[in-house]
Amino acid sequence: MTINTGRPPGATEWYQQARLLRKAQLCKLAQLGTLVSRIGHLAHMLQCERGASNIWLCSQGALYALECKASRALVDDHLQALHQALGTPLMASGALCERVANALQSLEQLPGLREAITDCALPATTAMERYGRMLRNLLSIVPQLNDSIDDPQIAGRFVALYSLMQGKELVGQERALGAIGFTQGFFSDEMRQTLVDRIDGQQTCFEVFLSLTPASLHNHFTLSVPGAEVEQLRRLACTRQPAADQGVLALHWFSLQTERLEHLRTLEEMLIDDLMLAVESLISRADDEPPAEPQTDEPLALYPQKPLLPLVRQQAQEIEQLSRQLASMRDTLEERKIIDKAKSVLMTHQQMSEEQAWCQLRKMAMDKNQRMVDIARALLTVKALWQP
């Protein structure tokens, strides 16, 4: 802030500084729109690669060779675009840098995963979990971008976007899991429970999304709602065993779910565009001159139809609600990381596969009637005691 010699800054200087800071924050948000779009594109192509890889593995290399090759090439292109959009670490907060580092570290494991998939050297469920970890770390960047936002409408749009991305990822997991079961002609009880969990999780995410978005986007969302064929295949997967048909049903399932994901990806871009329009509108308003000096001794008289206190309370409630929703999503991400660490402990010390470690944690949680994350925390505490 510029201070004239001999006197402290007055109202004009404070207005100028407020306008400059506000505009700088909004311009940063405008840049983040490109980053969010790049993350969405890369996540979408990783979901495609995961689904194609599952069918390849379950068919022992008989199906989806070309799809695997094409999706890998597109992932590489979008990964390069993400690196360009990220810019320099010096421009980000410490927490955001950590999220980006976690995502990039996961993605650095992609070449080794692809090599194992090409050689059919690992189970489809393991490949699915490793792709899922990459996607979780990638999507975890988005809520961290929301930290500096103090406008409730913009914050609401960010929460809605992240909820949509999370719901879309659960649809992708449902597609991948169903592709495994229908290709191999068998759904275990564990797979069925996981499938139900993914379906229930989608509903929660999409409810948050719909509660925070304008009605104009709701019609587009209906295009992604599961149709009769998807529901029929869901019932088949959860109640009976599919017939052996050389992957015909698996490819049909994959096609139907891919159509849903494409609609959700389009909706993501529409929501990002809506977010950027809102930011641009605020930027243009930030250039306005400071308000003229009131012509009355009673400032509240300027707002006869909108009492100030109710407006302040309403805005505070909206920000608090959005903060709770965002905190809940972040807690979910942190819990998943704790569970992943506990699985690694079991895999290292008990020579378990990743799927066996997951099942063991789940069984321990059910036996003790506790949450899986609580069991994972206890296991990590015990592991710390093992170490000298």
Side-chain angles (χ1 to χ4, degrees):
M1 182 183 297
T2 301
I3 302 177
N4 295 329
T5 304
R7 71 175 182 85
T12 299
E13 288 83 5
W14 281 104
Y15 274 130
Q16 290 173 346
Q17 183 70 3
R19 198 160 64 245
L20 287 173
L21 293 175
R22 178 72 168 171
K23 187 172 182 179
Q25 183 191 46
L26 292 170
C27 289
K28 183 179 178 180
L29 283 178
Q31 295 174 346
L32 293 180
T34 301
L35 176 57
V36 172
S37 181
R38 293 288 184 266
I39 290 173
H41 278 295
L42 178 57
H44 185 69
M45 294 317 306
L46 275 171
Q47 289 162 350
C48 292
E49 181 178 335
R50 174 180 58 191
S53 298
N54 281 346
I55 292 181
W56 164 268
L57 288 169
C58 290
S59 66
Q60 294 298 307
L63 299 171
Y64 266 41
L66 293 178
E67 286 81 357
C68 285
K69 182 178 181 180
S71 61
R72 290 176 180 182
L74 289 171
V75 165
D76 291 341
D77 289 343
H78 287 298
L79 180 55
Q80 183 177 0
L82 175 65
H83 279 289
Q84 294 172 352
L86 283 171
T88 169
L90 297 178
M91 300 297 291
S93 67
L96 178 57
C97 285
E98 185 177 355
R99 296 288 178 91
V100 172
N102 289 335
L104 295 181
Q105 185 179 43
S106 292
L107 290 166
E108 288 170 359
Q109 301 173 18
L110 196 53
L113 175 59
R114 287 171 171 174
E115 183 178 353
I117 290 171
T118 299
D119 296 339
C120 294
L122 78 171
T125 51
T126 301
M128 177 180 168
E129 176 57 32
R130 292 177 65 179
Y131 276 114
R133 189 181 303 118
M134 292 179 193
L135 283 157
R136 286 196 298 273
N137 287 325
L138 180 63
L139 294 178
S140 73
I141 297 173
V142 177
Q144 194 61 49
L145 302 176
N146 192 44
D147 271 1
S148 62
I149 301 173
D150 58 9
D151 183 281
Q153 298 302 318
I154 300 299
R157 284 175 166 86
F158 256 100
V159 174
L161 178 60
Y162 182 61
S163 299
L164 179 64
M165 287 179 158
Q166 284 287 86
K168 178 174 176 287
E169 164 56 8
L170 292 174
V171 175
Q173 292 181 27
E174 181 190 2
R175 178 181 68 174
L177 192 62
I180 293 173
F182 285 119
T183 302
Q184 65 187 13
F186 175 77
F187 285 90
S188 66
D189 291 341
E190 183 70 21
M191 290 175 64
R192 286 172 171 168
Q193 184 58 56
T194 304
L195 194 62
V196 171
D197 291 343
R198 299 302 179 267
I199 294 170
D200 291 342
Q202 293 170 36
Q203 182 67 22
T204 302
C205 291
F206 292 145
E207 284 176 356
V208 174
F209 161 75
L210 291 172
S211 70
L212 295 171
T213 50
S216 58
L217 294 178
H218 291 189
N219 290 337
H220 295 279
F221 173 75
T222 58
L223 297 174
S224 66
V225 174
E229 287 185 286
V230 172
E231 294 293 355
Q232 182 179 5
L233 290 175
R234 281 176 170 178
R235 287 193 296 271
L236 173 60
C238 292
T239 60
R240 302 192 304 277
Q241 297 297 352
D245 58 4
Q246 288 76 50
V248 173
L249 205 54
L251 296 180
H252 185 50
W253 164 268
F254 193 85
S255 175
L256 292 172
Q257 294 286 26
T258 297
E259 185 177 358
R260 290 185 65 202
L261 286 167
E262 292 295 338
H263 286 309
L264 289 169
R265 177 60 198 148
T266 300
L267 191 57
E268 268 184 12
E269 284 299 309
M270 294 174 66
L271 192 53
I272 292 172
D273 290 343
D274 177 69
L275 173 63
M276 290 302 99
L277 286 174
V279 171
E280 290 171 6
S281 174
L282 289 175
I283 290 175
S284 64
R285 284 158 50 189
D287 288 328
D288 293 344
E289 292 297 323
E293 185 177 350
Q295 300 299 315
T296 173
D297 292 334
E298 180 51 64
L300 294 182
L302 296 174
Y303 309 96
Q305 302 301 323
K306 296 183 178 180
L308 183 59
L309 188 56
L311 285 177
V312 172
R313 286 175 174 168
Q314 179 183 356
Q315 187 178 55
Q317 290 171 354
E318 289 176 351
I319 293 176
E320 183 181 0
Q321 180 182 7
L322 294 173
S323 298
R324 286 198 302 267
Q325 291 172 343
L326 190 60
S328 176
M329 292 175 184
R330 286 178 178 160
D331 288 344
T332 300
L333 287 172
E334 293 304 319
E335 289 178 359
R336 288 177 177 174
K337 290 181 181 179
I338 291 171
I339 292 172
D340 284 342
K341 289 180 180 178
K343 283 194 301 182
S344 297
V345 170
L346 290 175
M347 292 166 65
T348 301
H349 293 277
Q350 302 295 328
Q351 288 75 50
M352 293 183 176
S353 68
E354 194 163 9
E355 185 177 7
Q356 288 173 332
W358 172 270
C359 292
Q360 181 65 24
L361 284 173
R362 188 180 184 88
K363 183 178 184 300
M364 292 167 66
M366 293 176 64
D367 290 344
K368 295 182 177 295
N369 195 27
Q370 294 182 8
R371 296 188 310 155
M372 189 181 293
V373 68
D374 294 331
I375 296 296
R377 284 197 185 98
L379 182 61
L380 292 176
T381 300
V382 173
K383 186 248 186 183
L385 297 176
W386 293 342
Q387 296 176 337

